Amino acid sequence: MFIRNRQNDRSKNKSSTLIPRVITQQHVAEYCQTSREYTTMILNRLAKDGYIRLRPKPWFIPDVEALVHRL
C-alpha cells in the first residue's frame, strides 16, 4: 500500500501519515484478508480511540508509533 509519511512539527519523535484518497475500506479488507464489515468495525474503533481520522478523506494517522503500539 502507498502511504505518505511526514514529521509532525509539534513533537520531536511524532510522525503522522496521510492515506491516499483512492484507498478504500474494501482495499484494506482485501489486503488484510478480512471482510469489509469487520474492517469497518476495526477502523471505526480506532477512529473513536483517536488513532485515525477517517473523515474527511484522506484518512489521517496523527501518531504512527502510537497506532503500531496499539496493534
Side-chain angles (χ1 to χ4, degrees):
M1 286 191 175
F2 174 79
I3 58 176
R4 291 179 281 172
N5 291 323
R6 62 184 181 178
Q7 276 302 107
N8 190 336
D9 295 332
R10 296 180 199 142
S11 176
K12 293 178 185 174
N13 297 323
K14 200 172 182 183
S15 65
S16 59
T17 299
L18 288 173
I19 308 296
R21 293 176 185 269
V22 298
I23 301 297
T24 64
Q25 291 179 359
Q26 184 64 41
H27 289 117
V28 175
E30 289 172 5
Y31 181 81
C32 296
Q33 297 180 356
T34 63
S35 70
R36 188 201 47 79
E37 292 81 5
Y38 181 74
T39 299
T40 300
M41 181 186 73
I42 296 300
L43 286 171
N44 285 332
R45 186 179 302 163
L46 291 171
K48 179 182 173 209
D49 293 343
Y51 292 101
I52 187 170
R53 187 194 71 209
L54 299 173
R55 290 188 182 90
K57 273 199 166 189
W59 296 343
F60 177 68
I61 301 171
D63 186 349
V64 175
E65 289 83 12
L67 177 60
V68 169
H69 181 69
R70 167 70 169 83
L71 299 176

